[in-house]
Amino acid sequence: MMTQYGTLSPEASAGTIPEGDALLNHADRSLLIVDDDKPFSTRLARAMEARGYRVHVAESVAEGVSAVDAQPPAFAVIDMRLADGNGLDVIARLKERRPEARGVILTGYGNIATAVTAVKLGAFDYLAKPADADEIHGTLMAEPGERADPPENPMSADRVRWEHIQRVYELCGRNVSETARRLNMHRRTLQRILAKRAPR
């Protein structure tokens, strides 16, 4: 379900965006969030509105593309994995309709190949979930070539490994034997990992 770009929050419209915030230099503060995790997108939308953005939320690739076609935003935060496809399709459409727009891809399945693909398709940057509003805002406002501040709570090495295993498992159609073969891992070892909760 889509929500239309809203008006600025009372805090933002009252001029309480932090002084010196780079967003003040942008006349168009429209932001499209595309994510099918509704609790996450709702929290993020509120947090970004408090930072001065006019937010529109979509929950699928189809809704995201439709929103871009209707009114290409200046900024976008797009989940990589959506129920009806890949968020990169929304990034590609956004860059077609509004080349100067800044789009950030979010994913829990981070890997270098996907990051390179995202940037080639026009993503401004690539962040691994969980990413908070400050990190996302800082990335959207970064100057080209500027290095973003390191996250306060980055994924641990164990979590990165777990995410990679989960991604390969999904790509192998949840076939444990095939996943173990491709990861060069013993089947029982893989089963134990899959049975555990995700590490922090």
Side-chain angles (χ1 to χ4, degrees):
M1 183 181 74
M2 291 189 293
T3 61
Q4 297 301 315
Y5 290 107
T7 56
L8 293 179
S9 66
E11 295 83 359
S13 58
T16 56
I17 302 172
E19 189 173 347
D21 194 313
L23 187 60
L24 291 171
N25 297 324
H26 293 267
D28 185 350
R29 301 175 186 177
S30 56
L31 167 67
L32 172 64
I33 297 174
V34 185
D35 199 305
D36 54 12
D37 180 345
K38 196 164 185 177
F40 171 79
S41 63
T42 299
R43 288 194 306 271
L44 180 60
R46 288 174 180 165
M48 299 306 276
E49 284 172 351
R51 286 162 177 78
Y53 295 88
R54 291 185 301 108
V55 180
H56 175 114
V57 178
E59 297 179 2
S60 66
V61 171
E63 289 182 359
V65 169
S66 177
V68 168
D69 286 342
Q71 187 179 352
F75 304 97
V77 178
I78 302 168
D79 193 8
M80 176 75 75
R81 291 170 59 92
L82 296 159
D84 64 337
N86 194 309
L88 292 179
D89 293 338
V90 184
I91 280 287
R93 181 63 65 88
L94 176 60
K95 297 308 287 188
E96 288 175 8
R97 297 296 308 276
R98 188 167 182 172
E100 78 281 8
R102 292 188 172 193
V104 172
I105 285 287
L106 296 181
T107 181
Y109 293 81
N111 67 85
I112 296 204
T114 310
V116 170
T117 300
V119 172
K120 283 182 177 179
L121 287 173
F124 185 71
D125 210 336
Y126 178 96
L127 296 174
K129 281 186 171 181
D132 63 25
D134 285 336
E135 185 179 1
I136 291 168
H137 173 64
T139 300
L140 289 173
M141 292 295 107
E143 293 299 323
E146 179 182 343
R147 296 183 64 183
D149 292 334
E152 290 293 329
N153 298 296
M155 283 195 292
S156 66
D158 286 340
R159 178 60 185 249
V160 172
R161 176 174 179 266
W162 184 88
E163 294 281 4
H164 175 64
I165 290 170
Q166 291 291 327
R167 178 175 180 274
V168 175
Y169 180 54
E170 292 290 340
L171 291 173
C172 290
R174 295 176 171 264
N175 184 309
V176 175
S177 297
E178 180 63 14
T179 304
R181 184 186 72 78
R182 289 177 180 266
L183 291 172
N184 194 26
M185 181 182 292
H186 196 282
R187 191 174 188 277
R188 288 181 182 174
T189 301
L190 176 60
Q191 286 177 315
R192 284 197 297 271
I193 293 171
L194 294 173
K196 293 179 180 178
R197 290 185 176 181
R200 291 181 179 273

